[in-house]
Structures are given as C-alpha cells and as structure tokens.
Amino acid sequence: MLVDSHAHLDSPRYGNDREAMLVRAHDAGIGAILSIGIGEGPAEMHQALDICREYNGRPRLPRLYASAGIYPHNTPEADDAALAKLDALLAEPEVIACGEIGLDYYHEGAPHDAQRAGLIRQLEIAAARKRPILIHCRGTNESVDAWQDLFPVLEEHWKGTGLGGIMHCFGGGWDEARRSLDLGFLVSFAGNVTYPKAQPLRDVATRIPLDRILVETDAPWLAPAPHRGERNEPAMVAQTAEVLAGLHNIAPDEFAAATTQNFLRFFHLPPLVGN
Ligand SMILES: [Zn+2]
C-alpha cells in the first residue's frame, strides 16, 4: 500500500470527477493521501480540509489528511486575518501539517523579502500548533539561491521545535538533501524524478536513506514519465514509486511499505488497514 504525500485534491481540474479519481487511487493501492491546503490563495486554504470531511468514511476510498498554508507567491496576502485562519485550520485534527510554505525564486511573483517574512510568521504559527511543515523550495533556474536563504531561516526559527518537516517535490542537490536530513526532514520525490533529464536528481534520490524518503504526485501537476504533460492524479504515484524502488534496488512492494511506514511514523498516524 502506498501513500501519496502531496496532492492538490482541491484543484478545479478534479471538479468533474473527484470521487472517481479517488476511487482510481484506492484501486491502484493508494491507502492515504495528504491533500494540500493552499488553494489559489488564503481564501481557499480550507478547501483541503473540506475535501477530507466530504470523503473520509466512504467505502473504497483512500484515507485523506489535509494541510493548510500560504504558498510563497501568496505571502503578500498573509495579513492578520489570513494568519488567524491558518492558525484555526491547524487546530483541526485532520490538518496534520502546515504547507506548502517556503521560498520560490523560480517563478515571477512575490518579492523575496515578503516570502521570507511570510514563511517566518507561518513557522511561528505551526510551532505553536505543533504541526510539522511542508517546504516548497525552488531557486532561480539551476541556482540554489533559494536554498541558501531557506536553511538559515529553518535553523533559526524551526530546528529548535524538533517538529521536522517534509521537503516536498525535492529538486536540490546532495548538499541540500544532506542539510534537510540533518534538520530531521523527510525528503519527498515527485514525478519529475522519472523524467529523462533528471539523472542528477535520481542520483540524489538513490542516496536518501530508505527510512527518510517519501513519494508524492504533486497532482494535478508533474505526471510521471509515461503520462508527462497529462493531468496527474494520486493513482499515478505508483509509477514514481517504482522508479524510486529501482534506484534503491528493492521490490516496489518493499519501497511502498517503507514509505508508508515513514509517513505514518512521522505524523504519528494509525496504521492503514486494508480498505
Ligand atoms: Zn504542491
């Protein structure tokens, strides 16, 4: 059984077939999905939790968990009301993480200082609510500039909490991976690790210890290799997991068991029973 550790189930791209998409995930062996609550901005931060509440308990569906957070490019909207909403969402039992939050210098968007300030305020709220964080970090083109800004913030404002986090859709090099592991983070890989030009990323994934690695779709984006460019969905996490299992030289079942254990252990969640 697999866990998709990062999917945007509230995307309008699932507006016509959300339940069927979740059934396909269940039938593909996906036991749980972490639904990311960033929406198109803070006004939609609650949508992932709403989806959990709508679908959990129905037969033949994966178990759903939610996050809430303000995406780096939405940090100019991180006013007191938005941060109060984040705080209230993180108090809900289904909302197990704060994210995705972090720094994005790749796309044109919020100024770097606004991103940094918004990140720090969210770290303070997540710490008070004792929720681990989901980090999005992407530098300018091939540069590690965003990582160089990220790590000092995490050292100063997060490391001491001992709560750790997940580096989502990891795209850094080995130095960034090692520093993430040193901070107590898990490292999660998405469909882009399957792309032909991603050999450097595959080399990093090969070196992540099996008890610190996760797999995700980042659906509806980043469909793995055979489906690249299509709408992604949690059922396709199996293809990325198979590539990662191959890198670790183990059977897909063994990789699935390890990553599922990592997810459940990290968030202190009950075991997934055959559903
Ligand atoms: Zn995402």
Side-chain angles (χ1 to χ4, degrees), residues 84-114:
K85 178 175 176 174
L86 172 63
D87 181 56
L89 283 167
L90 293 182
E92 299 295 334
E94 299 96 329
V95 183
I96 60 173
C98 177
E100 55 187 287
I101 60 176
L103 301 174
D104 188 305
Y105 299 171
Y106 184 81
H107 294 103
E108 209 53 52
H112 296 184
D113 57 345

Side-chain angles (χ1 to χ4, degrees), residues 16-139:
N16 293 324
D17 69 340
R18 189 169 285 108
E19 180 156 17
M21 174 270 291
L22 293 171
V23 169
R24 282 195 292 276
H26 168 271
D27 292 352
I30 314 307
I33 305 170
L34 179 48
S35 179
I36 304 305
I38 55 168
E40 294 287 321
E44 299 181 350
M45 213 170 3
H46 60 282
Q47 290 180 164
L49 174 60
D50 288 355
I51 286 172
C52 284
R53 293 196 168 153
E54 183 174 353
Y55 293 101
N56 272 340
R58 294 194 197 180
R60 208 179 150 205
L61 293 183
R63 189 191 298 166
L64 305 182
Y65 294 100
S67 75
I70 301 169
Y71 189 73
H73 288 313
N74 298 120
T75 47
E77 300 164 62
D79 55 14
D80 288 346
L83 293 165
K85 178 175 176 174
L86 172 63
D87 181 56
L89 283 167
L90 293 182
E92 299 295 334
E94 299 96 329
V95 183
I96 60 173
C98 177
E100 55 187 287
I101 60 176
L103 301 174
D104 188 305
Y105 299 171
Y106 184 81
H107 294 103
E108 209 53 52
H112 296 184
D113 57 345
Q115 294 190 36
R116 184 176 181 279
L119 170 61
I120 291 170
R121 294 208 53 193
Q122 294 185 84
L123 293 178
E124 290 163 356
I125 292 166
R129 289 291 180 193
K130 298 200 172 4
R131 291 292 192 262
I133 53 175
L134 314 174
I135 288 287
H136 168 105
C137 187
R138 194 161 180 197

Side-chain angles (χ1 to χ4, degrees), residues 6 8 36 38 100 168 218 221:
H6 191 113
H8 297 264
I36 304 305
I38 55 168
E100 55 187 287
H168 128 75
D218 204 13
W221 300 286

